[in-house]
Amino acid sequence: MVHQTRYDLIITQVTKNMCSRFDLNSDIRAFQVHLGLDMKDIHRRAMRDAQTPVADQEDGVDEDALEAAFESLTGTRRPTDPIAVIMPGKKAAIRSWGLSASGLDKPLINARLETLAEKPTFRPLLDQRCLIPATGWYEWRKDGKGKHKNRITLPDHQPFFFAGLENGREATIITCAPSGSIAHIHSRMPVVLGPNHLEYWLDPMVGFHDLRELLGPLPDHVLAWHEEPPETNKSARARDQIDLFSK
């Protein structure tokens, strides 16, 4: 392993107006080793952002710039933040979370599975599939006027992959009906792909219609959830929350 693997450590960024969000794996480098990822795209972006001269780029990797790039992909991610995605050929890349769409003020951070093939925004991207690594996501359970923060993970906090679509600059997460165990929290959940389906999902030679049956809620026993005590949810902050996975 390169560096330390921190599958169960979430680094939460504190913001004035927090919104529902999901957590990326806190060390994308662990995926690099586990899946044998090609990191050239992230290397190039790190060098460009650091304004490293072309000659130096050809000589090797600016370790400080690369460390900064990894740091920018670590911890809690919010809509429009840069996120790591895995592309066909096991190439790691960086995309902005949420698709820009004409006439909309907010990016489309998720896409409903049931209407993917019908919506003109998503239909052209069905052959531009990606994986989005994560360790969990936050969702808010509504109780009258109150909202209660829930963290949803796998029972052992192992990392997993959301099914995503990307357009070369941005990415969105596909959502479906929730598993029964978390249906009381929200009416949607992200599509999580099983380990045996990852390469199939990324294979550009496989059409979306052949993949549709792989997508859906996880079995109830696969998910775990934890609701934070009410005292940690300030009423003013709770009113500012948005749902991560739209209805």
Side-chain angles (χ1 to χ4, degrees):
M1 286 280 178
V2 210
H3 303 276
Q4 61 176 335
T5 304
R6 301 184 301 181
Y7 284 158
D8 58 352
L9 178 60
I10 302 296
I11 301 176
T12 303
Q13 300 171 348
V14 179
T15 59
K16 182 177 179 181
N17 294 315
M18 299 168 66
C19 68
S20 298
R21 60 262 179 115
F22 75 97
D23 295 334
L24 287 176
N25 181 277
S26 58
D27 195 342
I28 188 63
R29 291 160 294 197
F31 281 99
Q32 176 186 5
V33 174
H34 182 63
L35 297 179
L37 298 179
D38 178 349
M39 308 295 281
K40 291 178 183 176
D41 184 85
I42 291 180
H43 290 176
R44 282 194 296 267
R45 175 158 175 166
M47 305 283 266
R48 184 194 67 207
D49 291 348
Q51 299 182 334
T52 304
V54 174
D56 292 344
Q57 291 187 31
E58 294 173 350
D59 291 340
V61 175
D62 183 326
E63 293 294 341
D64 290 338
L66 184 56
E67 188 66 26
F70 282 133
E71 186 66 23
S72 75
L73 303 173
T74 296
T76 301
R77 302 284 82 201
R78 302 183 64 195
T80 73
D81 279 350
I83 59 174
V85 302
I86 300 173
M87 311 284 287
K90 294 185 178 181
K91 294 181 179 179
I94 300 175
R95 297 289 184 264
S96 175
W97 181 23
L99 302 178
S100 302
S102 177
L104 295 180
D105 295 332
K106 296 181 179 180
L108 299 171
I109 61 175
N110 45 69
R112 293 177 65 93
L113 170 62
E114 297 84 350
T115 56
L116 275 182
E118 303 169 13
K119 299 293 185 179
T121 301
F122 305 124
R123 190 168 58 243
L125 304 181
L126 293 181
D127 292 328
Q128 294 179 236
R129 302 182 295 268
C130 64
L131 298 170
I132 301 174
T135 53
W137 72 95
Y138 289 118
E139 197 49 85
W140 291 78
R141 180 179 65 82
K142 293 182 180 180
D143 180 15
K145 295 183 179 180
K147 289 187 176 182
H148 305 274
K149 185 178 180 181
N150 285 261
R151 180 187 176 194
I152 304 168
T153 66
L154 298 188
D156 53 5
H157 294 269
Q158 285 295 306
F160 52 83
F161 298 90
F162 294 141
L165 303 175
E166 61 89 28
N167 64 8
R169 305 176 309 281
E170 306 157 328
T172 189
I173 300 171
I174 298 173
T175 68
C176 61
S179 299
S181 60
I182 60 170
H184 68 288
I185 300 174
H186 200 275
S187 60
R188 305 293 294 175
M189 68 168 285
V191 171
V192 178
L193 289 169
N196 295 329
H197 300 148
L198 303 182
E199 292 190 17
Y200 199 44
W201 176 253
L202 292 178
D203 190 340
M205 302 303 293
V206 179
F208 178 76
H209 63 280
D210 293 322
L211 297 164
R212 177 61 178 80
E213 62 181 18
L214 304 181
L215 310 180
L218 293 172
D220 286 350
H221 70 277
V222 174
L223 290 174
W225 57 274
H226 171 73
E227 184 166 297
E228 293 189 358
E231 59 268 22
T232 65
N233 298 323
K234 302 296 184 182
S235 58
R237 176 178 292 175
R239 285 196 298 271
D240 289 332
Q241 306 308 310
I242 62 171
D243 290 326
L244 173 57
F245 299 107
S246 56
K247 293 178 173 58

